[in-house]
């Protein structure tokens, strides 16, 4: 049985899980590793800011979507990858072996620009942005 490791709950992985929930993928074990069991759906963030939605309306349950796709949900973050041995090491020390690896973690803010952090609010991660507003 192939072990498919999905790191991050970005749009590509969410679409994959939705497709597998509709039509099972036999002969593979899927594991989704992401820090939170739910996240803000980016396509609805402008509507939240405009007052069209409440926060609860734009939250997407990544753990529920994984369950619907018969995928294992692991709350955590990957610290390192050993590509030669096909092993992902999580922040808590857990090692996960895989046959196929996919990364879909989204973008990160570059805070190295002078004054950026003092004069702007980073949009990502969305949860921090909403909290700060």
């Amino acid at each position: 049985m192939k072990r498919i490791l999905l790191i991050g709950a970005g749009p590509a992985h969410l679409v994959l899980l939705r497709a597998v929930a509709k039509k099972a993928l036999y002969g593979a074990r899927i594991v989704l590793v992401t820090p939170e069991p739910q996240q803000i759906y980016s396509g609805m963030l402008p509507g939240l800011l405009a007052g069209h939605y409440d926060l609860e309306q734009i939250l997407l349950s990544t753990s529920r979507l994984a369950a619907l796709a018969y995928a294992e949900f692991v709350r955590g973050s990957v610290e390192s990858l050993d590509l030669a041995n096909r092993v992902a090491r999580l922040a808590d020390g857990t090692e996960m072996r895989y046959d196929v690896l996919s990364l879909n973690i989204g973008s990160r803010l570059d805070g190295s620009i002078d004054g950026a952090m003092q004069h702007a609010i980073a949009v990502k991660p969305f949860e921090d942005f909403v909290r700060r507003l």
Side-chain angles (χ1 to χ4, degrees):
M1 178 169 294
K2 293 281 185 189
R3 296 166 295 188
I4 301 172
L5 181 59
L6 307 177
I7 299 175
H13 288 168
L14 299 178
V15 168
L16 172 72
L17 290 172
R18 194 170 103 197
V20 172
K22 290 180 180 178
K23 184 174 181 185
L25 180 64
Y26 297 102
R29 177 176 168 251
I30 300 172
V31 178
L32 172 67
V33 177
T34 192
E36 299 297 331
Q38 46 182 2
Q39 65 188 34
I40 291 174
Y41 172 55
S42 62
M44 294 178 76
L45 184 60
L48 173 75
L49 298 177
H52 301 299
Y53 307 114
D54 293 325
L55 180 60
E56 294 76 31
Q57 292 176 291
I58 69 166
L59 289 176
L60 175 75
S61 176
T62 52
S63 60
R64 182 173 169 271
L65 184 56
L68 289 172
Y70 298 99
E72 180 183 352
F73 175 83
V74 176
R75 185 175 183 174
S77 59
V78 174
E79 289 268 316
S80 65
L81 294 171
D82 179 345
L83 299 176
N85 294 305
R86 297 182 182 207
V87 175
R89 289 184 185 81
L90 278 56
D92 68 2
T94 302
E95 291 190 350
M96 304 188 87
R97 298 198 173 280
Y98 60 85
D99 296 302
V100 177
L101 172 69
S102 180
L103 302 171
N104 192 208
I105 58 173
S107 60
R108 300 283 181 219
L109 174 69
D110 178 2
S112 66
I113 300 169
D114 288 337
M117 302 309 288
Q118 294 79 18
H119 302 292
I121 298 174
V123 175
K124 289 195 171 183
F126 297 134
E127 291 75 11
D128 290 346
F129 174 68
V130 170
R131 258 186 251 116
R132 291 183 74 185
L133 284 179

